[in-house]
C-alpha cells in the first residue's frame, strides 16, 4: 500500500492535475481503512451495520482508484502518441545535441568568411542552443512521466486485487449476517397465499401498491417518525448517477414516473431512511423489487436488484442494506483500461426508483438529494 501511495505522488506533475493524485491517495487510504474495518466487523455488536459500512468503504475506495488510474492511463496514452508523432524531430534533436555536446576543436571556431562570419555563427548558435535545451528538457520530462505512469499501473495490480477480493468477502459476509439477524422489529407477517394472489391479479405497479395492505397479517400501528422534514435531502439508495428522469422515455419509447440510476456492478443498495419492508421479491417486468414504507401513505419502490435482503414486515434502520445490483464483478484490467471498463461497463447496471404519495407517483428527485444537473 505504501509503495502505491508513493507512486501516486508521481502523478502530481505539471500536466496531470493535483486532484488525480489526491483521489488516488484517498483511494489507498479508503481501501486500507476498509480492510481494517472488515476485521473489526467480526466482533461488532451490530455486525450488519459494520459490514454495510465496510462494503461502502470498499466501493468508495475502488471508485476513487478507478478515477486516478484511468487518468493515469489516459495521460500515458497521450504522451506515448505525442512522442511517437515526434519521432523524426526527436532523432534530429538528439543528433544536434550530440554534435554540440562533443569536444570543441579549434577549427570548429573558424568560419570560411573570416572573423565576421565566425562571430555571426557564434551568435546564431547562442540563440538556438537555449531552444534546443528547452526541447530536450521537455522530452526528458515526458519520458520520465511515461515511465512513472507505467510503474504506477503495474504496481497498482496487487492493491487492486486485494481491494476487489476484500469487497467480495465483505458482501458475502454481509449476506450471511443479514440471514442470521433476528433483532429487527416486525410490524406484520406476510401472508404468502394472499401475496401470490395479489401478484397474479396485478397488471400495474399502482394496482400492486394499492393491495399491499391485504397481504399483511397481525399488523401493528406504525411508530416511525414522519420524514416530511427530510424531503429533498434523503440520500439515494445506491452510489450512481441519474440516467433518466421521471417521465423520460427509454430507447423503446416507454416512460415511467420514476428515475433510473446507472450504478457499478454489484453495488450495495440501502434504505435511505428508517422504513418498513412492504414487499420483497419479483414483480411484473421490474425484476426483483423492494418496496419500503417510511411513513403512512408514502412508498419507495426500488426495482432492478439481483439480490434482495430482509423480509416483508421488518422495520429497517436508516442505511440498512436492502439488496445488491447485478452484473459481473470488476476485474483489474477493467479498472486499468484507459477507455473504461469493457468499453462503457463502468456503470453497467440500472436501478429504478419510484416514489408514491397517497398511491400516486411523484418525482423522486423531490425527495432525494442529487446534483439534479
Amino acid at each position: 500500500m505504501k509503495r502505491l501511495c508513493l507512486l501516486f505522488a508521481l502523478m502530481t506533475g505539471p500536466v496531470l492535475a493535483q486532484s488525480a493524485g489526491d483521489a488516488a491517495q484517498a483511494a489507498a487510504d479508503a481501501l486500507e481503512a476498509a480492510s481494517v474495518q472488515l476485521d473489526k466487523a467480526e466482533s461488532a455488536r451490530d455486525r450488519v451495520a459494520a459490514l454495510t459500512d465496510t462494503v461502502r468503504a470498499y466501493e468508495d475506495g475502488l471508485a476513487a482508484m478507478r478515477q486516478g488510474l484511468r487518468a493515469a492511463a489516459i495521460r500515458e496514452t497521450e504522451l506515448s502518441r505525442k512522442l511517437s508523432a515526434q519521432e523524426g524531430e526527436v532523432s534530429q534533436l538528439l543528433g544536434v545535441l550530440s554534435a554540440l555536446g562533443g569536444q570543441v576543436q579549434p577549427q570548429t571556431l573558424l568560419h570560411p568568411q573570416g572573423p565576421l562570419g565566425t562571430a555571426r555563427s557564434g551568435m546564431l548558435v547562442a540563440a538556438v542552443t537555449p531552444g534546443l535545451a528547452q526541447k530536450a528538457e521537455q522530452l526528458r520530462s515526458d519520458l520520465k512521466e511515461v515511465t512513472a505512469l507505467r510503474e504506477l499501473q503495474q504496481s497498482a495490480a496487487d492493491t487492486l486485487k486485494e481491494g476487489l477480493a476484500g469487497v467480495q468477502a465483505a458482501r458475502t459476509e454481509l449476506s450471511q449476517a443479514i440471514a442470521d439477524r433476528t433483532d429487527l422489529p416486525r410490524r406484520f407477517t406476510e401472508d404468502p397465499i394472499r401475496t401470490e394472489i395479489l401478484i397474479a391479479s396485478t397488471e400495474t405497479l399502482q394496482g400492486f401498491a394499492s393491495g399491499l395492505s391485504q397481504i399483511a397479517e397481525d399488523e401493528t400501528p406504525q411508530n416511525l417518525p414522519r420524514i416530511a422534514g427530510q424531503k429533498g435531502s434523503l440520500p439515494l439508495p445506491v452510489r450512481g448517477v441519474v440516467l433518466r428522469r421521471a417521465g423520460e422515455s427509454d430507447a423503446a419509447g416507454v416512460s415511467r414516473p420514476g428515475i433510473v440510476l446507472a450504478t457499478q456492478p454489484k453495488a450495495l443498495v440501502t434504505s435511505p431512511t428508517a422504513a418498513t419492508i412492504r414487499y420483497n421479491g419479483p414483480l411484473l417486468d421490474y425484476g426483483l423489487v423492494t418496496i419500503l414504507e417510511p411513513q403512512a401513505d408514502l412508498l419507495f419502490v426500488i426495482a432492478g436488484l439481483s439480490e434482495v435482503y430482509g423480509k416483508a414486515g421488518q422495520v429497517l434502520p436508516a442505511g440498512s442494506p436492502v439488496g445488491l445490483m447485478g452484473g459481473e464483478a470488476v476485474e483489474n484490467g477493467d479498472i486499468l483500461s484507459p477507455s473504461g471498463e469493457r468499453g462503457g461497463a463502468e456503470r453497467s447496471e440500472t436501478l429504478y426508483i419510484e416514489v408514491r404519495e397517497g398511491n400516486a407517483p411523484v418525482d423522486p428527485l423531490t425527495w432525494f438529494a442529487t446534483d439534479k444537473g
Side-chain angles (χ1 to χ4, degrees):
M1 184 69 68
K2 291 181 179 178
R3 180 180 59 178
L4 183 60
C5 292
L6 290 173
L7 285 169
F8 274 130
L10 296 173
M11 297 172 58
T12 58
V15 183
L16 272 180
Q18 181 72 35
S19 59
D22 292 342
Q25 180 65 61
D29 292 344
L31 289 178
E32 188 169 357
S35 178
V36 174
Q37 198 167 346
L38 181 58
D39 293 335
K40 291 182 178 179
E42 293 292 335
S43 58
R45 181 177 180 183
D46 190 346
R47 193 154 177 265
V48 171
L51 287 168
T52 300
D53 291 342
T54 299
V55 172
R56 279 288 170 84
Y58 270 118
E59 288 181 348
D60 291 344
L62 288 170
M65 187 165 288
R66 289 184 188 101
Q67 178 183 355
L69 288 179
R70 191 158 298 119
I74 291 172
R75 177 59 180 161
E76 182 199 346
T77 301
E78 291 175 350
L79 287 173
S80 297
R81 289 175 178 172
K82 175 184 174 183
L83 291 172
S84 178
Q86 294 178 335
E87 187 173 353
E89 182 180 347
V90 168
S91 298
Q92 292 181 350
L93 174 60
L94 291 176
V96 172
L97 290 176
S98 177
L100 291 177
Q103 292 293 327
V104 178
Q105 302 298 327
Q107 59 268 27
T108 62
L109 300 178
L110 300 178
H111 193 276
Q113 296 182 4
L116 182 59
T118 300
R120 287 174 177 171
S121 298
M123 293 172 63
L124 180 61
V125 171
V128 171
T129 300
L132 292 175
Q134 184 177 2
K135 281 183 173 293
E137 180 59 33
Q138 181 62 53
L139 175 62
R140 187 182 299 109
S141 176
D142 288 347
L143 290 172
K144 183 177 180 181
E145 189 174 353
V146 168
T147 301
L149 291 171
R150 287 177 180 170
E151 291 178 357
L152 162 67
Q153 294 175 73
Q154 292 170 0
S155 299
D158 290 342
T159 302
L160 287 173
K161 185 176 181 180
E162 293 172 3
L164 292 169
V167 71
Q168 184 56 44
R171 288 169 181 152
T172 301
E173 292 187 30
L174 176 60
S175 297
Q176 186 59 51
I178 291 172
D180 296 341
R181 182 171 57 185
T182 59
D183 59 342
L184 287 180
R186 294 287 293 266
R187 277 189 57 202
F188 64 86
T189 302
E190 182 183 30
D191 186 325
I193 297 178
R194 289 181 180 178
T195 300
E196 290 297 328
I197 293 174
L198 178 61
I199 292 174
S201 62
T202 294
E203 296 182 355
T204 64
L205 181 57
Q206 179 176 352
F208 185 81
S210 299
L212 279 177
S213 60
Q214 302 171 11
I215 69 176
E217 289 184 338
D218 304 321
E219 184 165 3
T220 58
Q222 188 177 32
N223 58 2
L224 293 174
R226 297 186 66 82
I227 62 168
Q230 302 179 53
K231 194 169 186 178
S233 62
L234 291 176
L236 287 168
V238 68
R239 303 278 200 269
V241 296
V242 177
L243 188 62
R244 278 195 301 277
R245 295 171 177 269
E248 290 184 349
S249 299
D250 59 18
V254 178
S255 63
R256 286 174 169 163
I259 62 173
V260 176
L261 298 180
T263 79
Q264 297 280 352
K266 300 297 182 183
L268 181 65
V269 183
T270 58
S271 175
T273 183
T276 302
I277 300 177
R278 272 293 174 181
Y279 176 75
N280 256 3
L283 181 63
L284 302 172
D285 62 343
Y286 291 90
L288 286 179
V289 175
T290 288
I291 299 180
L292 304 175
E293 185 182 46
Q295 64 184 38
D297 297 324
L298 177 64
L299 296 176
F300 292 162
V301 181
I302 302 173
L305 300 160
S306 70
E307 185 176 349
V308 291
Y309 297 142
K311 299 178 180 178
Q314 288 181 329
V315 182
L316 302 176
S320 296
V322 297
L324 284 177
M325 299 301 297
E328 297 181 10
V330 178
E331 301 295 337
N332 283 14
D334 297 326
I335 295 178
L336 291 171
S337 171
S339 58
E341 293 162 3
R342 297 196 188 112
E346 181 182 359
R347 297 186 184 274
S348 60
E349 304 305 306
T350 56
L351 185 72
Y352 177 74
I353 302 174
E354 187 170 315
V355 176
R356 306 186 69 86
E357 294 182 24
N359 206 31
V362 299
D363 185 352
L365 294 183
T366 63
W367 278 93
F368 294 104
T370 71
D371 56 15
K372 297 183 176 64

